[in-house]
Amino acid sequence: MNTTRLPNIILPNNITITSDTRLATQSDTLLLAVPMQSLRNLIDKLQTSLVGKNLIACCKGQELSTHLGPIAVIHATVTPATAALLTGPSFAQDIAAGLPTALTLACQEPQDAKLLQHQIACETLRIYRTTDIVGAELGGALKNVIAIACGTVIGAGLGESARAALMTRGFAEIVRWAKHLGAQSSTLYGLSGLGDLALTCSSEQSRNYQFGLAIGAGKVGDRKKTVEGIATALSIAEVAKSEQFDMPITTTVAALVKSETDVATAIHALLSRPVAYE
C-alpha cells in the first residue's frame, strides 16, 4: 500500500514494487510516470535500458528549458524507441479504486497506437487512440494553466459564473494555439482537451486548481506538490510572445506565478480587454 500517494488502496498482487531499475525496465512497454520537468533526467539515467522499448509518458506539460512536450523529449533523448502519451481526464485515486475512466493514447504511428491501446485498456479503463500528438500534448498541458486561472477566480471569491466564462475562453485559447502549431481541432474537443479541462477546472483534487485557489485567496501556493501548469504557463507564454500570438489567459497566469502582477490587477486587465466577436 502507498499510504502517501494512494491511501486505502491495496495494490494488486501482480504489481511488484522495486527500486531495481534493471528489473523495472524489463518489460517491452513502460509507463514513465514522473513530472514533466523530470522526464528527461529519468530517461538519461535509464538510457541503455530504454532502447527499443515502447515508452508511454504519463505527464502533461512542456519542458521549460526547451519548450518540448513529452513525446518530443522521448524522441530527443532515446533512439530507437516508440514514444507515446497517455492523457485525459483522470485522477490516480479514481483509477486505482477501479472507477470508470476514459483516456487518450497519442502515438505517431497508427499501428503502434493500436497495439498499445489494447495493452493498456481494461474493464474500467477505456482507451481511445489518436495520431495527433501535438493536439494531445497541448490539450493536456494547457488545461493545467486554465485550471490555475479558474482556481484563482474561485479563491478570490468571484463566483461560479466567472469560472465558467474563464473555462470557456480558456478552451478557445487552447484550441487557437494548438491549431497554430498544427494540431487538429477535433482532438481538443475530445478527452485530451475539453474532457481534461472540465475535470481539472472543477475539482479540488487537481493540484493546479488547488494552487490557483491559494493564489486567489492571497496565500502562497504549495510548490512542494507537482503543479505542471506553472512551468507550462511560463514556457508557452514565452513562445507565444516570441511569435506575437495573443494568449491573454496563459500570459496572465505566467505573470501571476512570477509575481509580476497581483490578482486584482490581472482580473482588471482581462476584463478591460477590447470587446470582440466570440
Side-chain angles (χ1 to χ4, degrees):
M1 180 184 294
N2 186 332
T3 56
T4 302
R5 302 292 185 184
L6 294 172
N8 304 317
I9 297 294
I10 304 298
L11 296 178
N13 293 329
N14 59 351
I15 292 180
T16 300
I17 300 174
T18 180
S19 59
D20 184 344
T21 56
R22 289 175 298 178
L23 177 61
T25 56
Q26 283 182 356
S27 175
D28 290 335
T29 299
L30 303 172
L31 301 179
L32 307 181
V34 295
M36 181 65 222
Q37 307 309 315
S38 302
L39 182 61
R40 185 182 295 269
N41 185 48
L42 173 70
I43 295 173
D44 283 340
K45 286 182 178 180
L46 303 177
Q47 183 72 235
T48 56
S49 302
L50 302 182
V51 172
K53 303 284 189 178
N54 300 316
L55 304 179
I56 304 175
C58 299
C59 47
K60 302 171 182 177
Q62 283 195 343
E63 193 173 49
L64 189 53
S65 59
T66 65
H67 309 305
L68 296 178
I71 291 178
V73 169
I74 293 173
H75 281 313
T77 48
V78 56
T79 28
T82 297
L85 173 69
L86 190 62
T87 185
S90 59
F91 290 132
Q93 185 78 22
D94 292 347
I95 294 176
L99 300 177
T101 305
L103 298 175
T104 295
L105 178 79
C107 187
Q108 195 165 19
E109 297 299 327
Q111 287 304 114
D112 292 333
K114 191 172 184 179
L115 172 68
L116 296 174
Q117 177 187 33
H118 287 286
Q119 286 185 359
I120 299 170
C122 63
E123 184 178 354
T124 58
L125 185 61
R126 185 169 178 81
I127 304 295
Y128 293 83
R129 65 181 185 272
T130 182
T131 56
D132 180 15
I133 59 177
V134 175
E137 284 187 333
L138 290 174
L142 273 166
K143 62 89 185 179
N144 285 329
V145 178
I146 307 305
I148 292 176
C150 287
T152 302
V153 162
I154 295 299
L158 299 180
E160 300 288 349
S161 298
R163 173 168 60 180
L166 195 55
M167 280 180 63
T168 306
R169 298 312 306 158
F171 181 63
E173 185 168 304
I174 293 172
V175 173
R176 284 189 286 108
W177 181 244
K179 289 178 67 176
H180 174 68
L181 296 182
Q184 301 168 19
S185 58
S186 58
T187 304
L188 282 305
Y189 286 92
L191 293 166
S192 59
L194 182 59
D196 212 354
L197 181 75
L199 178 68
T200 312
C201 292
S202 58
S203 173
E204 291 193 28
Q205 288 191 63
S206 163
R207 293 184 294 270
N208 293 277
Y209 184 73
Q210 288 176 12
F211 187 81
L213 284 173
I215 292 177
K219 302 175 183 177
V220 178
D222 187 356
R223 297 211 179 197
K224 293 180 181 179
K225 295 181 179 179
T226 300
V227 183
E228 299 276 31
I230 295 174
T232 299
L234 297 175
S235 174
I236 293 182
E238 183 178 331
V239 177
K241 182 180 179 181
S242 69
E243 298 192 17
Q244 297 183 325
F245 193 95
D246 191 27
M247 299 278 286
I249 299 174
T250 300
T251 53
T252 298
V253 171
L256 280 171
V257 300
K258 288 192 293 183
S259 299
E260 293 179 350
T261 187
D262 57 43
V263 174
T265 303
I267 292 169
H268 175 74
L270 287 174
L271 290 177
S272 61
R273 285 171 54 83
V275 292
Y277 284 105
E278 188 170 24

